[in-house]
Amino acid sequence: MMLALWIFLVLGVGLARGRGGGGGTKWLCSQTTFCTTESEMVDGENYKKERFESQRDCRLSCGKYGSVWPMPTGETSLSHNRVHFDPQKIHFDVRAPSEATSQFLDETRRLFLGNLRKECRCDCTLASSAKILVKANVISESLVLDWRTHENYKLFINTTKAAGTVVNIQATTVYGARHAFETLSNLVTGSVASGLLLVRDVVISDRPVYAHRGLMLDTSRNFIPLSYVRKTINGMAASKMNVLHWHVVDAHSFPLDITRVPQMRIYGAYSSSQTYSPKEVVQLMKYARLRGIRILIEIDGPAHAHSGWQWGPEEGLGQLSVCLNRIRWEAYCAAPPCGQLNPMNENMYTVLKAIFRQVAEMGAPEETIHMGGDEVYLSCWNTTKQIRDKMLDDGYDLSEKSFFRLWAQFHQRNLLAWEEINRRIYPSIPEPKPVILWSSRLTDPLAIENYLPKNRFIIQTWVDSHEPLNKMLLQRGYRIIVSTKDAWYLDHGFYGSTVYHTWRTVYNNKLPKSRDRRQVLGGEVCMWSESVDQNSLESRIWPRAGAAAERLWSNPKDAPELIERRFYRYRDRLVDRGIHADAVTPRYCVLHEGMCEHYFYNTNK
Ligand SMILES: *[C@@H]1O[C@H](CO)[C@@H](O)[C@H](O)[C@H]1NC(C)=O
Ligand SMILES: *[C@@H]1O[C@H](CO)[C@@H](O)[C@H](O)[C@H]1NC(C)=O
């Protein structure tokens, strides 16, 4: 036993040395941000004089942004010196203006320490740790997280003989402060022997370019267990993303348990265990909140409504959704099983309102809802006798225009229902929040103003980058959230003729400009779940979503070549934190910077 332990220790330490390039090997940083060993110095590069104990140590301050992902948007300066410390010996002096904000920051601190421990290599304890004091100061009492929340922060690290190392975080809100702690964790790496290394002198001033930095997660086509949703949230937090758009239900399954209408789950979930209870959803929302993330729930309609909507006739409520069992589905819906809500059935509106009520009750008072609205097939309504008869009775004809009006009325009624519910539950919220719809034929810029008022509806566009839709909606004064189909659809490349979008394509996707900057709220990468479940979810999303995260936080101008090594470090950090982020290049190229230039990503794909 003792012998085994002895062998383990010797081997363990030996391996750690080997991996870190310890045992005397030193690393250097060049002006174009390569970190290489003395023996692999790249010809023609201008190297700085400092020597580092490992590649990761070097990377902490090599290049303007070191290891920080996403890159800060304000002043950034990182010294090449380090302090060597033990994470258990950090002192905190955290100040917030209220009990609730203090509690929030207690949790932030706990999460931060958890993330620091993931950086440890073998052992993090250090007998003689540098003295580190982390001061954080938040000004605002508000815990509101929406498009107007101030997420800015300043982070200073000053080291003097007299005071030791003082980290100073200043933020308007707790959300800015938690981003600062995230950045601070990017300024730390494990030391080869033990303990952690921290950049010794730092100035960072940072704020996001876009207010809406989202990831859309579909949990209907395939069910995603909550533990995997939480891991997705962890990855988002590490990337300073702030909106989880939860496409929780669709035609395929309805896993959300609506307490007032249990039929939705009973008829709609794949199984009785593949559901999300209201309590679980509320817990998840709190979990996300503490990581700086809102959860925005989508209840898609009128299309994409099959599972969960079948029971109307049996229970005397008539058909809530129509075209449910169309075999030749291609003419009536985008994908089987078909189902489009029945706008001529008052009971459908009653059920929908009960669902909205639960969404409102589960969410934060300031939170809005996504009402879907994509891929409506007029042919479904037009081939349903009840709907045709009622339209003719009401004095409509069966023209496209009439059906568009019916469709628009559907959204307008739901908007009113949502507003009424929110006024009742949250009387202190002064103005009703706009709701979100996917772009569709109804949001065609040439007609949208007849159907959807721009102060009440935000449009999430999902078209290819060359299409003029965004620009036209902006010209008409609409606010948009951008999910560029040929760059930010993470499901592409796994079915039909779609192509996989590499992290570079994701990264290079620039959002449209508008005269009024606030009109472009931001964007979302989309994880539709037809060909993904918990077995591959993490590697499908990560690290690519992180490339979008930097686009949305920093909107960088730099040539992508300069960000490559910082991205590799970001990806490894996700892996260290337990997220199964995919590999993006051979390990050799990560370890030997400068040896693989223009390889693997040279093509413009
Ligand atoms: C820390 O350093 C920054 C810039 O180097 C400086 O502006 C700031 O005043 C310093 N803070 C303290 C407490 O010395
Ligand atoms: C609905 O069906 C009728 C024929 O029954 C057709 O004349 C009309 O053009 C259809 N409307 C739409 C919008 O397709």
Side-chain angles (χ1 to χ4, degrees):
M1 176 62 192
M2 282 305 283
L3 182 69
L5 185 66
W6 183 81
I7 289 173
F8 172 80
L9 281 175
V10 169
L11 277 176
V13 171
L15 281 175
R17 283 255 162 78
R19 253 192 347 154
T25 310
K26 294 292 180 202
W27 293 72
L28 295 86
C29 165
S30 84
Q31 230 139 40
T32 55
T33 87
F34 293 125
C35 280
T36 57
T37 59
E38 283 167 321
S39 61
E40 281 194 351
M41 285 166 72
V42 178
D43 279 352
E45 286 291 318
N46 198 349
Y47 281 86
K48 302 196 172 120
K49 63 177 192 306
E50 288 83 3
R51 298 288 187 273
F52 302 95
E53 63 164 53
S54 66
Q55 185 187 27
R56 283 190 175 179
D57 177 15
C58 172
R59 191 119 298 287
L60 277 183
S61 57
C62 197
K64 183 167 182 201
Y65 303 103
S67 297
V68 182
W69 190 280
M71 68 193 211
T73 56
E75 187 186 357
T76 304
S77 116
L78 310 172
S79 75
H80 286 311
N81 307 312
R82 308 287 181 255
V83 285
H84 193 190
F85 73 103
D86 178 338
Q88 291 196 57
K89 294 179 184 161
I90 303 179
H91 292 276
F92 290 90
D93 175 5
V94 177
R95 296 186 187 192
S98 69
E99 186 65 28
T101 45
S102 291
Q103 275 174 13
F104 187 107
L105 292 175
D106 283 348
E107 192 64 17
T108 302
R109 192 172 74 178
R110 197 183 64 79
L111 295 170
F112 166 70
L113 284 172
N115 287 334
L116 278 198
R117 278 192 286 275
K118 309 264 170 57
E119 294 293 330
C120 296
R121 303 190 63 167
C122 32
D123 179 9
C124 243
T125 57
L126 210 56
S128 60
S129 172
K131 214 170 102 188
I132 296 190
L133 171 63
V134 177
K135 291 200 216 176
N137 195 0
V138 162
I139 298 163
S140 169
E141 276 186 40
S142 175
L143 287 165
V144 170
L145 184 55
D146 64 12
W147 295 300
R148 281 179 293 198
T149 300
H150 296 289
E151 296 177 277
N152 55 301
Y153 68 88
K154 284 202 167 80
L155 172 69
F156 300 101
I157 305 180
N158 300 35
T159 302
T160 57
K161 270 223 174 75
T165 296
V166 179
V167 178
N168 205 325
I169 289 170
Q170 296 161 14
T172 309
T173 65
V174 290
Y175 302 108
R178 66 107 7 232
H179 293 323
F181 276 97
E182 205 65 65
T183 299
L184 184 56
S185 74
N186 293 183
L187 300 169
V188 169
T189 197
S191 176
V192 171
S194 65
L196 293 171
L197 301 172
L198 168 70
V199 181
R200 205 181 76 178
D201 301 281
V202 171
V203 178
I204 292 179
S205 172
D206 199 8
R207 67 170 68 231
V209 172
Y210 292 104
H212 189 106
R213 303 181 306 281
L215 183 148
M216 191 227 69
L217 181 64
D218 172 3
T219 59
S220 166
R221 276 53 184 269
N222 279 298
F223 180 78
I224 309 287
L226 276 171
S227 58
Y228 288 85
V229 182
R230 282 194 296 270
K231 280 184 91 177
T232 304
I233 289 171
N234 295 348
M236 292 174 67
S239 319
K240 302 191 180 92
M241 297 176 94
N242 66 355
V243 183
L244 177 70
H245 166 182
W246 194 1
H247 187 87
V248 59
V249 298
D250 204 289
H252 299 76
S253 78
F254 199 110
L256 186 62
D257 180 5
I258 304 295
T259 320
R260 288 184 188 84
V261 197
Q263 293 92 332
M264 302 310 294
R265 158 183 62 83
I266 294 166
Y267 285 78
Y270 280 131
S271 75
S272 59
S273 62
Q274 288 171 303
T275 61
Y276 307 109
S277 75
K279 198 173 150 212
E280 286 170 331
V281 173
V282 169
Q283 278 169 355
L284 189 73
M285 288 190 171
K286 283 191 185 147
Y287 183 92
R289 232 2 142 76
L290 289 167
R291 289 156 180 80
I293 295 161
R294 328 157 36 182
I295 296 186
L296 178 63
I297 289 186
E298 176 181 355
I299 302 295
D300 201 353
H304 294 274
H306 174 110
S307 297
W309 291 98
Q310 313 95 318
W311 49 277
E314 265 167 67
E315 304 205 8
L317 298 187
Q319 287 188 310
L320 302 170
S321 189
V322 296
C323 312
L324 292 186
N325 297 309
R326 300 276 168 98
I327 307 288
R328 269 205 58 248
W329 59 269
E330 289 92 334
Y332 308 107
C333 61
C338 289
Q340 201 156 285
L341 295 177
N342 180 356
M344 296 307 192
N345 183 348
E346 283 302 309
N347 296 321
M348 180 279 294
Y349 282 108
T350 310
V351 172
L352 207 46
K353 194 166 176 182
I355 296 173
F356 291 159
R357 180 165 166 197
Q358 180 160 324
V359 171
E361 284 170 349
M362 292 186 303
E366 72 273 13
E367 195 49 274
T368 185
I369 189 173
H370 197 304
M371 293 195 177
D374 55 324
E375 298 187 311
V376 168
Y377 276 52
L378 300 184
S379 53
C380 164
W381 283 341
N382 197 18
T383 51
T384 302
K385 184 165 184 309
Q386 188 206 349
I387 293 176
R388 290 166 54 104
D389 290 352
K390 183 92 190 341
M391 282 186 78
L392 296 172
D393 281 355
D394 291 354
Y396 287 105
D397 56 18
L398 299 178
S399 66
E400 201 169 85
K401 203 164 170 206
S402 295
F403 280 104
F404 275 121
R405 198 172 306 154
L406 184 67
W407 178 6
Q409 279 164 4
F410 170 87
H411 289 310
Q412 285 159 8
R413 270 192 75 166
N414 291 334
L415 174 72
L416 290 180
W418 172 254
E419 288 177 352
E420 191 217 302
I421 290 162
N422 276 274
R423 266 198 306 275
R424 196 148 34 87
I425 310 181
Y426 304 115
S428 64
I429 299 280
E431 51 178 322
K433 296 164 291 288
V435 302
I436 306 169
L437 289 181
W438 292 107
S439 57
S440 68
R441 291 183 64 199
L442 197 66
T443 71
D444 182 334
L446 301 179
I448 185 170
E449 284 161 297
N450 301 326
Y451 302 122
L452 304 167
K454 61 196 78 170
N455 61 335
R456 305 302 308 122
F457 289 94
I458 291 164
I459 311 302
Q460 179 169 12
T461 61
W462 56 293
V463 293
D464 285 350
S465 45
H466 70 266
E467 293 200 35
L469 177 65
N470 289 318
K471 201 180 265 175
M472 292 174 79
L473 286 172
L474 291 170
Q475 277 163 2
R476 279 164 181 76
Y478 284 84
R479 280 166 290 182
I480 60 169
I481 294 164
V482 180
S483 290
T484 313
K485 206 174 171 190
D486 57 359
W488 283 8
Y489 266 43
L490 303 179
D491 59 319
H492 279 190
F494 295 86
Y495 65 90
S497 58
T498 57
V499 288
Y500 182 88
H501 310 306
T502 68
W503 74 267
R504 281 182 180 264
T505 304
V506 175
Y507 191 87
N508 290 336
N509 184 45
K510 292 210 172 79
L511 273 58
K513 288 198 175 74
S514 65
R515 236 178 310 127
D516 180 354
R517 272 251 328 256
R518 287 162 304 180
Q519 266 183 277
V520 183
L521 293 170
E524 292 178 5
V525 285
C526 295
M527 188 68 268
W528 299 104
S529 70
E530 283 92 344
S531 62
V532 82
D533 65 9
Q534 71 268 30
N535 295 298
S536 51
L537 182 72
E538 292 169 45
S539 59
R540 199 72 54 87
I541 296 177
W542 308 109
R544 288 187 297 160
E550 178 152 300
R551 172 59 54 201
L552 289 164
W553 181 281
S554 331
N555 199 22
K557 287 189 211 80
D558 286 7
E561 277 64 33
L562 296 176
I563 53 112
E564 191 167 302
R565 285 150 303 263
R566 200 163 46 81
F567 187 69
Y568 296 161
R569 181 66 187 90
Y570 159 77
R571 181 266 174 182
D572 283 355
R573 188 180 301 127
L574 293 178
V575 173
D576 289 345
R577 292 188 186 186
I579 293 164
H580 297 107
D582 216 347
V584 288
T585 198
R587 195 79 205 150
Y588 185 90
C589 299
V590 177
L591 296 174
H592 301 270
E593 298 184 6
M595 302 298 278
C596 304
E597 293 309 283
H598 311 296
Y599 161 69
F600 212 58
Y601 285 111
N602 206 8
T603 55
N604 190 26
K605 279 215 206 99

